[in-house]
Amino acid sequence: MTPTHLLGLPPQMLSSLAVLPSAEQPLMLLTRHSIREQVAGQGFASYALPLTDEGRQLAQAWGQHLLDSTGREIVSCLSSPIQRCVDTASLMLQGQTRQMFPITPIDQHVLLVEPGSFVHDVAQAGPLFREYGPLGFINAFLRDDLPGMKDPQQGVLDILALLHQYQPTGSHRLSLAVSHDTILAALLAVMVGQRAITWADWPAMMEGVFMWFEGDDFESSRLYWIWRGQLYQQPIAAFKVVS
């Protein structure tokens, strides 16, 4: 049962906590932002939509719970430049430090937002996103069947290389990266070799994946990740783009 202070947290996150490696292993958490305001009508989620009060409380409580339950402290932080992602990161840091203005900087990066992660030409890809909807768009992308998009493998390598740069060192350390649902959905699908996903695969708000790398050199390292309570691993070389 989800603790009262974590109501709204996807229960799979607690399942993932149960299978984390020992605290000697530093980790990264790549997560979708916390609960935002709902989209009006049948429109798409504007980047201007803020977190709800529930979402703000959840992000802070989740940050505190990560420290209390795993002993891991957030020592570095990345975020999409979109305000609800920056706010999620800030509130999670507040939950850990109990300070209104935590000293850990939040580095905003274009590889955690679109265009940037997988979209390289929004003029081509944007109309298709509106036509297909989020799920249809990601599935077309996984088939490598969309103009204006990176090669799926290359998009994954770009994001993973960024996360590798920010991986923490030392025990009881955690690095945080806050992004968006479409980016996590595409990343996770490519990492496990899915050519199509369903809404059941879609990351919920405040749902994320724990990751770590073995190896100092990115290209020769091995990636481990825990998603919905299950451990996966692949060498980075497995994601190389085939010419």
Side-chain angles (χ1 to χ4, degrees), residues 161-176:
L162 173 67
L163 297 179
H164 186 270
Q165 292 174 26
Y166 277 80
Q167 66 178 334
T169 57
S171 63
H172 297 85
R173 300 294 182 92
L174 177 70
S175 289
L176 174 66

Side-chain angles (χ1 to χ4, degrees), residues 6-204:
L6 292 176
L7 290 178
L9 181 75
Q12 300 94 329
M13 295 308 297
L14 298 179
S15 301
S16 291
L17 289 186
V19 295
L20 291 183
S22 76
E24 301 302 310
Q25 173 62 58
L27 296 176
M28 297 203 68
L29 172 59
L30 172 63
T31 185
R32 187 182 177 188
H33 56 75
S34 194
I35 302 167
R36 57 158 169 74
E37 290 186 357
Q38 294 298 309
V39 178
Q42 298 301 313
F44 293 96
S46 164
Y47 278 162
L49 288 173
L51 299 181
T52 63
D53 288 344
E54 177 191 6
R56 296 180 68 83
Q57 293 166 10
L58 175 59
Q60 194 166 15
W62 179 223
Q64 179 180 343
H65 188 81
L66 284 170
L67 179 62
D68 293 345
S69 63
T70 73
R72 289 180 168 89
E73 176 187 1
I74 299 172
V75 294
S76 63
C77 194
L78 272 169
S79 176
S80 156
I82 302 307
Q83 192 62 48
R84 60 178 174 264
C85 293
V86 176
D87 288 347
T88 297
S90 179
L91 289 159
M92 289 181 68
L93 287 167
Q94 287 179 34
Q96 289 215 336
T97 63
R98 295 170 175 79
Q99 297 175 354
M100 185 62 68
F101 302 104
I103 61 174
T104 302
I106 300 172
D107 294 339
Q108 299 177 31
H109 205 287
V110 295
L111 278 177
L112 296 178
V113 70
E114 297 293 12
S117 298
F118 295 103
V119 176
H120 68 75
D121 187 340
V122 71
Q124 293 187 73
L128 295 174
F129 184 83
R130 291 187 287 274
E131 178 183 349
Y132 296 163
L135 184 64
F137 183 85
I138 293 300
N139 280 331
F141 169 68
L142 293 174
R143 297 191 300 269
D144 200 11
D145 192 28
L146 285 177
M149 303 291 289
K150 295 181 184 177
D151 178 279
Q153 303 287 111
Q154 186 60 57
V156 166
L157 285 171
D158 290 345
I159 295 170
L160 293 180
L162 173 67
L163 297 179
H164 186 270
Q165 292 174 26
Y166 277 80
Q167 66 178 334
T169 57
S171 63
H172 297 85
R173 300 294 182 92
L174 177 70
S175 289
L176 174 66
V178 185
S179 188
H180 302 270
D181 53 349
T182 52
I183 293 168
L184 266 76
L187 179 77
L188 290 161
V190 173
M191 286 182 357
V192 298
Q194 287 178 284
R195 299 286 289 178
I197 62 173
T198 69
W199 283 120
D201 302 305
W202 203 260

